[in-house]
Amino acid sequence: MKRRRAAWWAALPLLSVLLASPAAGGGYTEIFDITGRVPPPDGGAGFLARAVPIRWDARCMPVPIRINDTLDPIPNPLGADFLAVVEAADSLSESVATWSSVPGSFLRFELVGTSSNPGPGRLDFVNEVIFRAPTFVSAFARTITHALMEDTWLEDGEDLDGDGDVDVVAGLDRCRDVDGDGDHEMPAGFYRAGTILDADVELNVSDFRFTVSDAAVDTNPYSVDLQAILTHELGHVHGLAHSLTNQIGADDGRPATLFALLDSGDPADELAWRRLSLEDMASTAFHYPEGSAATGAAALEPGDIPFDELYGVIEGEVRHSRTGLPLAGGSVFAEDAVTGRRLGSAVSGTIVNVLGPASGQRRRLPPEDAILDGRYRLPVPLGRYRVGIEPIDPEPIPASFVNETAREGSVRGLMDFPEELYDRDGEGAMELSPGRGVPVPVQPSGDAARGVDLATEVQVRLAPFGVDDVFVSVDAPPGFYYAVRFPAAEIVEATGGGPFALVAGRFHTSLVDHSEVPVFAEALLTTGRLLTDGSAELDLDRSLRREAPFVGQDDDFASFFLQASAGLGDRVRELIAQGGVEQLFLVLRVPTTTPFPGVSGTPPLVASDRGAPGTRGRSYTSVDGEVFLPTVEDDFRFDLLLLTEDASDDE
Amino acid sequence: MNRLVSSCLLPILFAAAPLAASHTADPDLAGLLAGSDVVVLGTVHAVHGTRLDGELVTIATVTVEESLLGEPEPSLEVVVPGGFDLDRRVPIATVVSGQPQLASGERLIFFLVRIGDGRYALTLAETGALTVSPDADGAPLVGATPPLSVGELRNLISRLDDGR
């Protein structure tokens, strides 16, 4: 299907300029830019507004931060108060230092003192860390950011927050508190849409105890390390959005600091958030690149390392094959070609909405007009990478956790494709080996690796389950088997009796201790048959495909890519035709040895749908591999992906 | 499994199962339901910005198609922290981490908690608004994996509510 490009914007020179600017890289918090106040193409009221990332202007380096001392000691909902603000300030200093020392980045924070605002974070040109009861929700913390919505000249003497005090001063070299009243003033001049004016962090002291020492990090989910939370929130303060990276690699289950979920019951997961992953650093350095200006904070000074010496950028465009639309809201990721460690991610696409004419009013355009492109820019440390695309679907976090572009893709129903890797010449909607990744070199020349374009897959999906209710089983013994049955008749029906390729099986896996990796002893695709007593007999010794060990994902579908998928499909089709195959089974086996890794000592888990009473009769377990008994209430979330000629014709 | 959400919400707090049990609860729908007074399928009819206690918020007026939990109301107002202010020389947007910005015309499943004055907030912030998007044939599907029909979600909520 050919992409339909709306014609309206081509006739609008101002908007064309707007669209010509490069796509945002990484994953950044966004606001809508109404620069030019361009009317919408449908003739309705309001202004066309493009989602743009937020960031601090280089003139506001270092970003001044204050710690609010209204509540001192800091309330402890679990017992007696024990934490003084001065101790919390030490944790904040550590987080400030962490973000201020990212190699290749000119971002700097500075802890400049205390503040005494008893209310919520607000636009007052005081960047505060506040301890308070939450207004509506009970998260660990939230960050409130105020940013310009259009390119703006800020003029000498302006009072932007309406407090009677001047916020913009001519002749200033940088943001600072020139009149000594506690808020910072900004230099008069030109600022881009998305420029952050003020940011506050609110920490929830109604529901959580904040601790500051290594020894206090425990398994109580209501007790959490303050430095870990502050490091995450300071990521939001300078514009980073949530990352999907909750498992850096097969040998490292720790998350990126900007992953949305913290396992406060796992000390190792908690402490991991104090430090930055390479992905966090690359995203920040790309947003605040050292050496990107001749003067000011972004200019090179003695000891600075230019962005281009440490990082590169992978660029491309993503197409949503089923609809033919550019893909908004896909998560493009880069894994080191040798180690497999995930070192970068970005959200694809450029979108516009309509804002106004009154405050708060917002509406969406038809998808062909709202999604301008599927471009992405993915910053990574120099190296060689396998690049992939995954949907921002509810696993491991929904699109609404990320940014406006991700949510646009979700609202449009575009998050319906499986994870896959970039295959250069083999890239397309109907790949026989979507798990094959062609390495992309990222060189120290400063030039981007361009043209790394992806197309999402269009496959037949056999998924005998509903939404997940539970993860099972924390008391599975070593060597325990989970299996899901796919009847031959169902495969024939789904493929119309014609040729097909068996591309992948997928397992929704997870674990109790999120700093670990859910590693299983093996994954299998094999044949079997049903017995009259309702149990099943599986041929584990002569499986069709096997991967051992099998590395699962942390609350997400892990792909078991099937080698030589077309030949495998032909073989299975022949066997079915000959009556030699009644059932296919996807099998996952728990590790055979203990102790299982992690503080809880529990095995890796699989997701299960415990939907309506009873089951779909497809799921089985076995303690010995000999007898597979049907489950009583579980439908395990394993699915099978196939390619058919019909799907190919569609493409 | 004590997974907690930073910058948004903590659904596992409502659904956490002790490790002595054979399973751990996935927080998504059970957690949302446990924290909700009302669940509706509705469409955002209009949004506008205002200030509540000095804080910029967006108020979404939702036309209710179907009440999945709680007393049915034809429409209701949902208060979402953040938004944007155009009534000034320099327009400014306020972004609150964990809060989705709603747009007119969006069709969603809303998990809501009463906050007074007849208004509601999203349960567990951004997790409390599930996208309803069309499938390849145009049928409405609720954002989940796999996507649910509204009827399936209705049944699921009914079952989970019975267990509350």
Side-chain angles (χ1 to χ4, degrees):
Chain A
M1 183 187 298
K2 198 170 179 180
R3 189 176 75 192
R4 183 162 76 85
R5 169 71 76 177
W8 48 265
W9 62 262
L12 299 171
L14 184 57
L15 183 59
S16 298
V17 171
L18 188 72
L19 303 180
S21 55
Y28 302 105
T29 302
E30 296 168 329
I31 57 105
F32 284 96
D33 175 1
I34 60 168
T35 299
R37 311 250 177 155
V38 177
D42 58 9
F47 314 113
L48 202 57
R50 175 184 168 185
V52 296
I54 61 172
R55 79 185 87 208
W56 291 96
D57 189 273
R59 286 164 283 184
C60 278
M61 295 296 133
V63 177
I65 303 279
R66 294 179 181 273
I67 188 164
N68 188 296
D69 63 4
T70 304
L71 298 178
D72 191 6
I74 294 164
N76 168 23
L78 302 184
D81 300 343
F82 66 94
L83 183 61
V85 166
V86 66
E87 296 172 282
D90 289 341
S91 290
L92 179 56
S93 292
E94 293 291 333
S95 298
V96 160
T98 296
W99 284 113
S100 298
S101 56
V102 172
S105 162
F106 69 82
L107 175 71
R108 300 289 185 273
F109 287 116
E110 182 181 15
L111 179 54
V112 295
T114 58
S115 60
S116 300
N117 162 33
R122 61 180 188 266
L123 175 61
D124 57 6
F125 291 88
V126 180
N127 305 313
E128 294 179 272
V129 171
I130 305 170
F131 298 89
R132 68 185 299 265
T135 309
F136 294 145
V137 298
S138 51
F140 290 126
R142 67 174 188 172
T143 295
I144 305 162
T145 315
H146 309 274
L148 294 176
M149 294 181 67
E150 62 185 343
D151 295 352
T152 304
W153 284 94
L154 294 182
E155 296 172 2
D156 182 41
E158 285 204 75
D159 175 13
L160 294 169
D161 57 14
D163 66 352
D165 179 46
V166 168
D167 299 312
V168 183
V169 175
L172 275 185
D173 59 340
R174 64 181 177 89
C175 297
R176 54 193 168 98
D177 182 11
V178 289
D179 54 8
D181 64 352
D183 63 358
H184 66 263
E185 284 75 40
M186 298 179 69
F190 179 75
Y191 292 85
R192 290 283 185 193
T195 297
I196 301 171
L197 303 175
D198 182 306
D200 301 307
V201 174
E202 294 182 355
L203 294 139
N204 175 0
V205 295
S206 289
D207 300 308
F208 299 100
R209 174 179 69 192
F210 290 96
T211 64
V212 296
S213 69
D214 290 2
V217 177
D218 61 16
T219 56
N220 184 335
Y222 295 91
S223 180
V224 67
D225 182 66
L226 178 61
Q227 186 184 335
I229 299 299
L230 287 172
T231 305
H232 177 96
E233 296 301 329
L234 287 187
H236 293 316
V237 165
H238 73 274
L240 299 190
H242 283 140
S243 162
L244 265 66
T245 303
N246 62 352
Q247 180 174 304
I248 290 173
D251 59 350
D252 189 346
R254 294 175 302 167
T257 294
L258 263 296
F259 181 61
L261 309 171
L262 172 65
D263 183 353
S264 53
D266 179 354
D269 202 64
E270 215 166 302
L271 290 173
W273 270 23
R274 287 184 177 181
R275 301 183 301 274
L276 304 181
S277 68
L278 286 172
E279 176 183 322
D280 298 312
M281 289 193 259
S283 294
T284 290
F286 183 67
H287 217 32
Y288 299 89
E290 192 75 88
S292 57
T295 60
L300 289 176
E301 296 175 6
D304 287 346
I305 305 173
F307 173 87
D308 291 345
E309 283 190 13
L310 299 172
Y311 308 93
V313 181
I314 302 169
E315 296 184 5
E317 182 149 13
V318 189
R319 181 170 57 89
H320 184 259
S321 298
R322 179 177 65 77
T323 61
L325 291 167
L327 180 64
S331 177
V332 186
F333 60 86
E335 297 175 345
D336 184 283
V338 175
T339 66
R341 293 168 72 87
R342 186 170 293 201
L343 301 183
S345 70
V347 177
S348 70
T350 307
I351 63 161
V352 291
N353 276 194
V354 177
L355 265 56
S359 295
Q361 292 180 335
R362 178 183 164 197
R363 62 187 173 89
R364 298 185 190 277
L365 291 164
E368 295 83 0
D369 295 339
I371 304 173
L372 302 178
D373 62 52
R375 295 168 62 192
Y376 72 89
R377 302 185 74 201
L378 170 52
V380 287
L382 302 177
R384 285 166 57 84
Y385 294 92
R386 283 191 297 269
V387 178
I389 178 83
E390 68 175 315
I392 306 180
D393 54 13
E395 290 85 23
I397 55 173
S400 58
F401 278 33
V402 180
N403 63 18
E404 295 293 343
T405 301
R407 193 150 182 276
E408 186 79 29
S410 178
V411 167
R412 306 302 184 184
L414 303 182
M415 297 298 119
D416 60 351
F417 57 91
E419 182 175 322
E420 64 143 325
L421 295 177
Y422 168 72
D423 193 19
R424 200 167 54 200
D425 298 337
E427 188 60 34
M430 301 290 300
E431 295 179 45
L432 292 171
S433 302
R436 181 177 62 203
V438 173
V440 174
V442 179
Q443 310 283 4
S445 64
D447 293 332
R450 296 191 175 87
V452 183
D453 298 336
L454 294 119
T456 62
E457 297 298 304
V458 178
Q459 297 163 332
V460 174
R461 182 180 183 213
L462 304 180
F465 53 77
V467 295
D468 52 323
D469 295 312
V470 298
F471 293 108
V472 293
S473 168
V474 294
D475 55 7
F480 192 71
Y481 289 92
Y482 301 97
V484 170
R485 177 172 61 88
F486 298 87
E490 180 181 278
I491 293 170
V492 171
E493 181 181 352
T495 57
F500 60 88
L502 274 168
V503 176
R506 299 194 311 163
F507 307 95
H508 185 176
T509 57
S510 191
L511 70 175
V512 170
D513 305 312
H514 292 279
S515 63
E516 301 294 334
V517 178
V519 179
F520 291 81
E522 60 182 344
L524 301 169
L525 175 71
T526 192
T527 58
R529 64 191 182 101
L530 296 181
L531 304 180
T532 54
D533 63 0
S535 65
E537 184 178 73
L538 276 63
D539 190 347
L540 299 181
D541 294 331
R542 293 179 300 167
S543 60
L544 297 167
R545 292 290 184 271
R546 177 174 182 267
E547 186 173 323
F550 181 79
V551 179
Q553 293 197 15
D554 183 348
D555 190 12
D556 205 350
F557 281 89
S559 296
F560 172 32
F561 291 113
L562 304 171
Q563 301 299 313
S565 61
L568 178 62
D570 289 344
R571 182 178 164 201
V572 168
R573 183 167 174 250
E574 270 181 31
L575 289 170
I576 290 173
Q578 295 164 3
V581 171
E582 295 175 10
Q583 314 285 341
L584 289 184
F585 287 85
L586 278 172
V587 183
L588 206 49
R589 190 181 191 197
V590 169
T592 56
T593 58
T594 56
F596 298 117
V599 66
S600 71
T602 52
L605 308 173
V606 302
S608 172
D609 158 34
R610 289 186 175 174
T615 69
R616 290 170 168 80
R618 299 292 194 83
S619 295
Y620 299 81
T621 59
S622 175
V623 294
D624 57 9
E626 298 292 328
V627 179
F628 281 80
L629 297 174
T631 56
V632 175
E633 56 183 346
D634 288 307
D635 288 314
F636 302 135
R637 288 164 57 85
F638 299 176
D639 63 15
L640 193 59
L641 304 180
L642 306 93
L643 281 181
T644 66
E645 288 191 333
D646 286 347
S648 182
D649 290 343
D650 289 344
E651 171 59 11
Chain B
M1 181 176 300
N2 301 307
R3 170 149 295 196
L4 304 179
V5 182
S6 176
S7 306
C8 42
L9 238 280
L10 319 173
I12 199 69
L13 293 182
F14 296 100
L19 289 180
S22 65
H23 64 271
T24 64
D26 184 70
D28 298 349
L29 290 176
L32 280 172
L33 194 64
S36 298
D37 296 316
V38 168
V39 181
V40 300
L41 166 64
T43 300
V44 178
H45 174 68
V47 287
H48 72 276
T50 189
R51 291 190 182 274
L52 290 179
D53 300 328
E55 191 174 1
L56 183 63
V57 300
T58 300
I59 296 181
T61 304
V62 176
T63 302
V64 176
E65 291 178 46
E66 180 180 354
S67 176
L68 304 176
L69 177 73
E71 292 299 313
E73 299 177 60
S75 71
L76 39 80
E77 288 189 332
V78 180
V79 180
V80 181
F84 58 90
D85 186 354
L86 298 178
D87 301 324
R88 51 191 304 151
R89 188 191 84 76
V90 179
I92 293 174
T94 298
V95 181
V96 180
S97 62
Q99 295 291 345
Q101 293 305 304
L102 303 176
S104 296
E106 281 189 41
R107 194 174 184 218
L108 300 160
I109 300 289
F110 293 89
F111 290 77
L112 301 171
V113 58
R114 288 191 186 87
I115 57 171
D117 296 334
R119 287 174 168 162
Y120 296 84
L122 295 170
T123 309
L124 306 179
E126 57 205 347
T127 51
L130 298 185
T131 299
V132 179
S133 55
D135 70 4
D137 300 318
L141 291 175
V142 180
T145 308
L148 292 167
S149 70
V150 174
E152 288 172 322
L153 181 65
R154 184 188 304 116
N155 293 338
L156 188 57
I157 286 174
S158 175
R159 182 175 59 80
L160 291 171
D161 190 42
D162 287 344
R164 284 213 282 181

